Amino acid sequence: MAKSKAITLLSIGHACVDVYQGAVAALVPYFVAERSYTYAAVSGIVLAASLLSSVAQPLFGLATDRRAMPWLLPVSTLVAGSGIALSGLGGSYALTLLFMGIGGIGVAAYHPESARVARVAGGGSHTAMGWFSLGGNLGFALAPVLVAVVVGIGGLGLTPLLVLPALVGSLLTLPVLRGPERMTSAAPRTATAAAAPDDVASFVKLALAVVCRSIVFVGLSTFIAFYVRERTGGGAAAGTAALVVLYLGGAVGTVLGGALAERRDRVTVVRRSYLLTVGAVAGLVLLPGPALYVCVALTSAGLYVPFSLQVTLAQDYLPGRVGTASGITLGLTISIGGLFSPLIGRLADATSLQTALMPLIAMPALSWLLFRTLAEPAPPNAPRPVPGGGRAGRRR
């Protein structure tokens, strides 16, 4: 199968999975409206989807480092879709948490192996990985629209219809997995990986930066609809529009990140992106009126320029454990932020939503500081660059 066709199918499949991550936040206002949940209660729903995913994703990464599991792509897509599709049935909060958790496990199982397959299919190209990541961003962006059409019209009782993207995504994945034998090789490690050393210290710093980014993105995903309605005086449509802008801005940022990385090193691109994001988040929290939408778009683009670049950086820092690197990075990108979402919700219940969102301004600043200590990974058998210039020998 041609590289472009494989990446296109994987990108669409990625969209069909990540629509369920975006659907969690998109469903929150409907749980509030139909079941009168508090901010803290709906934060618990986000936490349920995030917690199991954050724990399970590195475990799936470890498993795929030992043996390639391409069959996980269609199976995990169906699991993710089934969990979210069942989340609106019944009035039990405990069952809602359970189904959200199942959806989170499906998402966790998908990402480490899909990142490996996508990088093989794209021949290691940053642009190809950017297009693959774009699919996930578009899935996020379409989630509020899908939820609004299905649940907005028929209520939470119609959530089973949300399984349709999972059915489509699982079918589209199959032609890629039947492609070249290298896609389904039982030995994910490449000769390059075997020759290059793992840089655990840099990987840990990268992971911490991803955590800070995750806190901002998941926090805004959960509460931006409520916040924009408060600040602009608009109705449900205003909140949904803000959520769509948040996700579409991410799509633009992802493609831009891949293109910039072909011209400059990834660390520099990511570092500058986080610095610009500090001002965008501050504007989002502090500025009133329609200017909010501009700040939402800039924040989203700034957070997503690093998205695919951080995945490939993680793989290059841990070339001998690509699945683990992908699982931790992709898991942290979405999942760990959900662990902080209940804290934001409780603070919002106790004070105001604006006050609760203010700490998010500091998160991209912390990511920027961490990236100031990182260097672009050196090619195999070449001296490793160090932050601030100069060269260091290969680490043993």
Side-chain angles (χ1 to χ4, degrees), residues 254-319:
T254 299
V255 174
L256 182 61
L260 290 174
E262 299 292 350
R263 302 181 180 183
R264 283 189 161 274
D265 67 89
R266 290 166 291 177
V267 170
T268 298
V269 173
V270 173
R271 187 186 299 151
R272 292 179 178 177
S273 176
Y274 279 134
L275 187 59
L276 292 172
T277 305
V278 176
V281 177
L284 188 159
V285 175
L286 299 174
L287 293 179
L292 271 175
Y293 288 99
V294 176
C295 293
V296 170
L298 291 175
T299 296
S300 180
L303 290 173
Y304 265 98
V305 163
F307 186 78
S308 64
L309 307 185
Q310 289 173 154
V311 176
T312 58
L313 278 169
Q315 293 172 338
D316 290 343
Y317 285 140
L318 295 185

Side-chain angles (χ1 to χ4, degrees), residues 35-258:
R35 301 181 184 176
S36 301
Y37 289 161
T38 64
Y39 287 141
V42 294
S43 296
I45 293 174
V46 177
L47 175 62
S50 301
L51 182 59
L52 285 175
S53 184
S54 63
V55 172
Q57 202 151 167
L59 297 179
F60 281 109
L62 285 168
T64 57
D65 277 337
R66 295 177 179 272
R67 185 175 184 83
M69 300 179 184
W71 54 267
L72 274 176
L73 273 64
V75 171
S76 60
T77 301
L78 291 173
V79 172
S82 299
I84 301 303
L86 294 171
S87 65
L89 300 184
S92 168
Y93 185 68
L95 277 178
T96 301
L97 296 179
L98 173 63
F99 289 132
M100 286 292 187
I102 291 172
I105 291 175
V107 169
Y110 175 85
H111 281 99
E113 183 66 355
S114 68
R116 182 191 72 82
V117 171
R119 197 163 193 193
V120 172
S125 165
H126 300 315
T127 301
M129 283 298 290
W131 284 107
F132 169 70
S133 299
L134 172 65
N137 303 146
L138 292 177
F140 265 107
L142 291 173
V145 178
L146 178 65
V147 170
V149 169
V150 175
V151 183
I153 294 174
L156 292 172
L158 289 185
T159 56
L161 293 178
L162 297 177
V163 78
L164 293 177
L167 298 176
V168 173
S170 61
L171 290 175
L172 289 177
T173 301
L174 297 179
V176 180
L177 304 186
R178 294 195 193 105
E181 185 180 354
R182 62 197 179 118
M183 296 289 184
T184 57
S185 169
R189 290 173 59 120
T190 63
T192 298
D198 287 342
D199 185 352
V200 177
S202 292
F203 175 77
V204 170
K205 293 174 184 177
L206 170 68
L208 291 173
V210 174
V211 169
C212 295
R213 175 217 176 270
S214 170
I215 292 171
V216 179
F217 185 75
V218 178
L220 292 178
S221 297
T222 305
F223 297 108
I224 193 69
F226 300 111
Y227 183 67
V228 168
R229 288 167 65 177
E230 285 184 5
R231 296 283 284 174
T232 64
T240 299
L243 200 56
V244 171
V245 170
L246 180 69
Y247 294 158
L248 283 178
V252 174
T254 299
V255 174
L256 182 61

Side-chain angles (χ1 to χ4, degrees), residues 2-14 131-132 172 176:
K3 179 173 76 173
S4 59
K5 183 177 180 181
I7 289 296
T8 298
L9 290 176
L10 287 169
S11 181
I12 296 172
H14 195 184
W131 284 107
F132 169 70
L172 289 177
V176 180

